[in-house]
Amino acid sequence: DTAVSQTPKYLVTQMGNDKSIKCEQNLGHDTMYWYKQDSKKFLKIMFSYNNKELIINETVPNRFSPKSPDKAHLNLHINSLELGDSAVYFCASSQSPTGNTEAFFGQGTRLTVV
Amino acid sequence: AQSVTQLGSHVSVSEGALVLLRCNYSSSVPPYLFWYVQYPNQGLQLLLKYTSAATLVKGINGFEAEFKKSETSFHLTKPSAHMSDAAEYFCANNAGNMLTFGGGTRLMVKP
């Protein structure tokens, strides 16, 4: 039973389209995240939600909008996709956002914008 | 501001040799340090974490890391590399409600 699951695993789409990536965790965690991994494997936080409230919103274009309908889900919607959005997007969850709390990661969604 | 630096984007060792992956951090508050491993086309998996209970931390798959405050380091080691250890390794610090990652080190293991 997968702890953090993302769908789809692969997403190929044209520039200008709007797409969503879904994330669900069954660990009972309060905190969920979206990370972006670029082609050089660099990982950067995009958003963090704690108890459905946005607590971190890094410098991310407004075209990216996270939505957390409940504590177990954090979806990412992207409008007007651009070539530079091509990357692997990881969802993660943890019991709390602070300290030495381990984060559990999904398998990633490889987004390719053509 | 917090930052994590991994020295060496690629490290190559022979099977059976010592593995040493370097991580240095910069943090204005006490760090909470982690090592994660990423196998091809996979998500990140926790190897170990520093909890302040002990400076030498043992993790899964025979890996361990030593926290040295004076050197602001948290290097990852394994006495004997196995082919299955070939992967990308990330050091991270949680000092502000989120994990800040280093740039990653690709470990290659030669037969």
Side-chain angles (χ1 to χ4, degrees):
Chain A
D1 203 17
T2 307
V4 181
S5 59
Q6 305 177 220
T7 53
K9 188 166 183 178
Y10 299 96
L11 184 53
V12 181
T13 187
Q14 290 187 325
M15 277 195 308
N17 283 351
D18 302 339
K19 290 293 178 185
S20 292
I21 306 172
K22 297 188 175 184
C23 179
E24 176 181 6
Q25 55 97 0
N26 63 5
L27 298 167
H29 288 166
D30 287 340
T31 310
M32 295 187 72
Y33 314 82
W34 278 108
Y35 281 85
K36 179 180 180 180
Q37 186 174 45
D38 64 21
S39 58
K40 295 184 178 177
K41 301 287 188 181
F42 186 70
L43 278 155
K44 186 170 169 53
I45 184 83
M46 298 174 70
F47 302 102
S48 173
Y49 272 72
N50 190 49
N51 283 320
K52 300 196 301 172
E53 298 293 323
L54 180 67
I55 58 171
I56 290 174
N57 182 353
E58 288 294 285
T59 309
V60 176
N62 290 338
R63 300 180 294 103
F64 290 79
S65 55
K67 286 192 170 48
S68 182
D70 55 57
K71 285 199 308 183
H73 295 85
L74 180 62
N75 304 322
L76 184 65
H77 188 75
I78 315 169
N79 289 328
S80 303
L81 278 154
E82 301 177 358
L83 292 176
D85 298 332
S86 295
V88 181
Y89 292 84
F90 286 101
C91 178
S93 74
S94 64
Q95 205 156 14
S96 81
T98 59
N100 64 0
T101 310
E102 173 187 355
F104 292 79
F105 285 78
Q107 294 290 291
T109 296
R110 182 175 296 275
L111 172 65
T112 304
V113 182
V114 297
Chain B
Q2 330 299 335
S3 68
V4 178
T5 303
Q6 292 181 239
L7 187 62
S9 59
H10 293 79
V11 169
S12 180
V13 301
S14 297
E15 193 172 19
L18 171 72
V19 175
L20 171 61
L21 305 182
R22 299 177 187 274
C23 173
N24 288 88
Y25 68 91
S26 168
S27 181
S28 56
V29 296
Y32 295 100
L33 298 165
F34 303 79
W35 274 100
Y36 283 85
V37 61
Q38 183 180 26
Y39 298 103
N41 298 316
Q42 301 275 324
L44 280 75
Q45 178 184 355
L46 182 72
L47 275 178
L48 50 80
K49 64 180 181 182
Y50 169 64
T51 64
S52 77
T55 55
L56 184 62
V57 182
K58 293 190 185 300
I60 63 171
N61 301 339
F63 283 94
E64 60 183 37
E66 186 171 10
F67 174 70
K68 291 187 177 180
K69 185 177 178 181
S70 60
E71 299 178 6
T72 60
S73 69
F74 190 55
H75 301 331
L76 182 71
T77 59
K78 182 173 180 177
S80 177
H82 193 272
M83 296 296 291
S84 61
D85 294 327
E88 193 88 23
Y89 291 80
F90 292 94
C91 183
N93 180 23
N94 186 344
N97 293 337
M98 65 181 188
L99 285 172
T100 299
F101 285 91
T105 298
R106 173 158 293 181
L107 176 65
M108 295 168 284
V109 183
K110 298 175 291 188

